[in-house]
Amino acid sequence: MPKARFHEIYQDYVCGCMLRVAREVLAMLPVDTVLITASADILDTRTGQTSEQPVLSAVMARAVIASLDFDKIDPSDAMENFLHRGNFRASRKAGAFQPITPLTPADVPQTSTEAMGYAGLLVSVQRMREELQAKLAH
């Protein structure tokens, strides 16, 4: 298999894994946003040693995940829907991914209650109330 094709498949695999993790976490937890960082074994050509390094980090919102048609998307292209950090440019020397500095909770956009307006705040409070009632019912 040509290296370029391998890197393309590997990139789709890593992005697809991140999408799956986001979907499963959002299905189980009453959160609106998840921050996910994927790591891979990267060869350090200076030492000849491999080490686990972050290669892709993304902030994935429930609303965006819910709007995706998972039967038709390309996982790598879908990352453009999210705030993300990653370098997919493969090179003969470096391999499929370049190490990155992962996103942090400080990078997650916060929706302030002032910016929501009354209607948005009311919807948010009602949703939290329903989630709390559901937890108490169990």
Side-chain angles (χ1 to χ4, degrees):
M1 173 184 303
K3 273 192 170 185
R5 180 67 180 138
F6 170 80
H7 292 311
E8 182 181 329
I9 292 169
Y10 187 41
Q11 176 183 330
D12 281 343
Y13 173 75
V14 171
C15 294
C17 288
M18 287 190 62
L19 288 166
R20 179 168 182 174
V21 168
R23 289 179 77 184
E24 291 192 17
V25 169
L26 292 170
M28 292 189 291
L29 299 175
V31 296
D32 290 325
T33 306
V34 293
L35 172 60
I36 302 171
T37 299
S39 296
D41 287 334
I42 303 290
L43 174 66
D44 183 345
T45 56
R46 294 174 293 158
T47 64
Q49 302 293 319
T50 59
S51 63
E52 191 172 294
Q53 298 286 324
V55 294
L56 180 61
S57 190
V59 175
M60 301 175 141
R62 180 182 297 275
V64 176
I65 292 285
S67 71
L68 298 177
D69 183 348
F70 286 94
D71 292 329
K72 297 177 184 171
I73 64 168
D74 177 83
S76 299
D77 293 342
M79 285 297 121
E80 296 300 321
N81 294 305
F82 307 102
L83 171 63
H84 72 283
R85 190 176 291 159
N87 186 349
F88 300 125
R89 292 183 187 89
S91 69
R92 283 189 313 178
K93 187 175 180 182
F97 289 102
Q98 303 297 313
I100 56 132
T101 302
L103 295 169
T104 65
D107 296 317
V108 177
Q110 299 294 321
T111 305
S112 70
T113 54
E114 292 84 19
M116 286 180 136
Y118 178 75
L121 184 59
L122 183 61
V123 168
S124 179
V125 169
Q126 288 172 339
R127 185 179 64 236
M128 285 185 218
R129 181 177 180 210
E130 291 168 1
E131 290 170 358
L132 183 59
Q133 287 175 336
K135 285 182 184 179
L136 294 173
H138 288 90

